[in-house]
Amino acid sequence: MGIVRSAHFIYTVHPGDTLYSLASRFASSVQAIQQANFLRPPVTDPSLIYPGQVLVIPRVVTERGRTLYVVREGDTLSTMANRFSTYPELLAGINPGVQNPDVIFPGQQLLVPALIYEVESGDTLSQISSRFGVPLTAIIQANQGRIGFSPDVIWPGYRVIVPLPTSRNITVFRPYPGTVIRSGQRLEGWARAFEANVLHQVRDSNDVVVSDERFTTASIGAPDYGEFASSLPFDRQPTSPVGEVWVYTRSAKDGSVQDRVRLKVYFREYA
């Protein structure tokens, strides 16, 4: 299946939790939770979960894909940022419900910059890391404490958490890294930018500028994070099958590139 675009929750099991109670709480199903976490032999008994284990819980209803982390006792934005290889201020900025960055509550559901990938036959973590352009260490860190997760063995059907590339002030939720894009591709994300100006371009691996630098405007400017949306029209034919989407700002002082996020992407057609 590859990238799974439905909503998912990253949840730490509490005493008294059962697969049935979690399925009911998160609009999921026992079967979907078991499949996403490979709750089956030889990994584990399919009916047993234990406090402290981390589960990926897919919603079975159709909605816009997003990954929500359910805050557990002792979590801070700093520990969450470390888990997902990002920044505490960015997590606070993309979650308007966080009124005080120093105060988050157990059970609170926070948006995190991550995608969920369903392992296919023959996959390895190294291959997944290469496909998405995300360091292997970041993927391992994001999946710490998960049932059945091992850096050496992953199972078809298991759903792996893959952190999205971010800078301190920018994260991109569309397109996902590792996907095929074409002219007119939709671009969406969050940014903290001076005068709300967010710039973007597309380059192939031969450093040919496929989509010229353009700008869009976030919904609000710095010091707040605002949502932005744009498109990526191709001005030139890609000359290689692989490239990058760049999203960034420029310094008001000298025009230098700042906060650049680089997303590895693929082109269906190239010269």
Side-chain angles (χ1 to χ4, degrees):
M1 175 179 287
I3 297 173
V4 185
R5 300 183 184 276
S6 56
H8 289 77
F9 298 90
I10 300 171
Y11 178 80
T12 303
V13 177
H14 289 70
D17 283 337
T18 67
L19 291 179
Y20 294 97
S21 67
L22 294 177
S24 176
R25 176 178 173 183
F26 293 107
S28 188
S29 70
V30 170
Q31 182 180 11
I33 297 172
Q34 288 174 327
Q35 178 178 336
N37 298 278
F38 209 86
L39 301 182
R40 65 186 71 167
V43 175
T44 187
D45 185 311
S47 62
L48 294 181
I49 55 175
Y50 299 96
Q53 292 175 324
V54 178
L55 296 173
V56 166
I57 302 178
R59 286 179 67 96
V60 296
V61 296
T62 301
E63 62 177 296
R64 181 182 178 184
R66 55 183 178 168
T67 303
L68 297 169
Y69 178 84
V70 182
V71 176
R72 61 185 177 184
E73 191 73 38
D75 276 335
T76 65
L77 289 182
S78 292
T79 61
M80 288 176 56
N82 183 65
R83 182 181 192 108
F84 296 105
S85 300
T86 188
Y87 301 89
E89 57 264 48
L90 185 140
L91 290 178
I94 67 175
N95 284 282
V98 176
Q99 302 300 319
N100 182 345
D102 296 322
V103 181
I104 56 175
F105 305 97
Q108 195 172 4
Q109 297 175 7
L110 299 181
L111 177 66
V112 292
L115 63 85
I116 303 297
Y117 177 79
E118 184 171 306
V119 175
E120 299 175 332
S121 181
D123 277 340
T124 66
L125 282 186
S126 293
Q127 290 171 338
I128 294 171
S129 169
S130 177
R131 171 180 171 179
F132 291 106
V134 174
L136 179 59
T137 53
I139 296 175
I140 293 172
Q141 190 164 273
N143 288 275
Q144 285 180 340
R146 294 201 51 208
I147 301 171
F149 179 79
S150 165
D152 302 315
V153 179
I154 51 176
W155 311 89
Y158 190 81
R159 295 193 179 181
V160 174
I161 304 164
V162 180
L164 300 177
T166 76
S167 65
R168 188 177 297 275
N169 293 308
I170 297 173
T171 184
V172 178
F173 285 99
R174 185 177 183 182
Y176 280 146
T179 55
V180 176
I181 69 168
R182 60 184 62 189
S183 184
Q185 166 70 50
R186 180 79 169 172
L187 176 72
E188 297 177 1
W190 289 77
R192 179 170 61 179
F194 177 70
E195 295 185 343
N197 287 327
V198 181
L199 301 161
H200 55 78
Q201 61 176 279
V202 179
R203 293 177 176 244
D204 68 19
S205 60
N206 294 322
D207 209 29
V208 171
V209 178
V210 176
S211 180
D212 291 337
E213 180 180 279
R214 291 177 171 85
F215 81 93
T216 186
T217 304
S219 58
I220 191 169
D224 296 315
Y225 288 79
E227 293 184 87
F228 65 84
S230 189
S231 62
L232 303 170
F234 288 6
D235 299 290
R236 292 161 203 87
Q237 183 79 1
T239 63
S240 67
V242 183
E244 290 183 333
V245 175
W246 291 4
V247 184
Y248 52 96
T249 60
R250 287 193 180 274
S251 167
K253 293 181 178 180
D254 59 13
S256 60
V257 170
Q258 296 181 322
D259 290 308
R260 181 173 57 185
V261 173
R262 301 168 67 164
L263 304 173
K264 184 176 184 178
V265 293
Y266 298 86
F267 305 114
R268 190 178 303 278
E269 299 177 357
Y270 57 96

